[in-house]
Amino acid sequence: MILGIGTDLANIDRIAGTLERFGDRFRNRVFTEVEQRKADRRADVAGTYAKRWAAKEACSKALGTGLRMGISWKDMAVSNLPTGQPVMQVTGWAAERLKDMTPPGYEAIIHVTLTDDHPWAQAFVVIEARPIAKN
């Protein structure tokens, strides 16, 4: 069953401007160390940050809160599997919210997809509840 769906569209040029203006202050407030290392290794640094920004916004919407109620930017983090597939991890208040919205006997799975076509970066997040397998 679907517990939540979120999407967001971010302007890569706007994120580039924010990075130029605020630098590490912005990076350290919004992105985890893993996200920063990933972005800083990419040719399109601003595009990588913009996709992750959009993913965090989309995740907060899928959680049904937006960025309020104590949720922190760093409570939602995007990393990649060895195949390159993006995955979303939640910690802190976001993890608590996810736990509260997951019915008993189910586990929550967060699906995320990212794309960009300059000057836009887009993310979709779907939170699925799957019955816990019984052995």
Side-chain angles (χ1 to χ4, degrees), residues 9 17 20 32-33 43 88 90 104 122 125-126 129 133:
L9 186 66
E20 285 179 28
T32 66
E33 288 182 25
M88 176 72 71
V90 293
Q122 187 173 33
V125 170
V126 176

Side-chain angles (χ1 to χ4, degrees), residues 61-117:
K61 293 170 185 173
L63 289 168
T65 64
L67 288 161
R68 58 182 178 89
M69 298 175 58
I71 200 166
S72 165
W73 287 104
K74 287 184 172 182
D75 285 347
M76 302 164 289
V78 178
S79 61
N80 296 84
L81 297 177
T83 60
Q85 176 184 349
V87 291
M88 176 72 71
Q89 297 88 27
V90 293
T91 58
W93 192 92
E96 287 296 317
R97 171 68 180 151
L98 183 61
K99 181 181 169 189
D100 290 346
M101 63 191 288
T102 305
Y106 286 79
E107 63 179 338
I109 310 295
I110 302 174
H111 304 276
V112 60
T113 186
L114 309 172
T115 191
D116 65 288
D117 186 6

Side-chain angles (χ1 to χ4, degrees), residues 17-60:
T18 302
L19 287 165
E20 285 179 28
R21 184 170 177 199
F22 297 105
D24 286 343
R25 193 168 125 211
F26 171 65
R27 278 190 281 280
N28 294 333
R29 182 174 152 256
V30 176
F31 301 100
T32 66
E33 288 182 25
V34 169
E35 291 171 313
Q36 290 180 47
R37 282 195 305 270
K38 173 77 172 185
D40 293 340
R41 286 193 315 261
R42 302 297 296 266
D44 184 10
V45 173
T48 302
Y49 278 121
K51 285 186 280 190
R52 279 150 177 74
W53 171 280
K56 292 168 185 272
E57 286 275 5
C59 185
S60 72

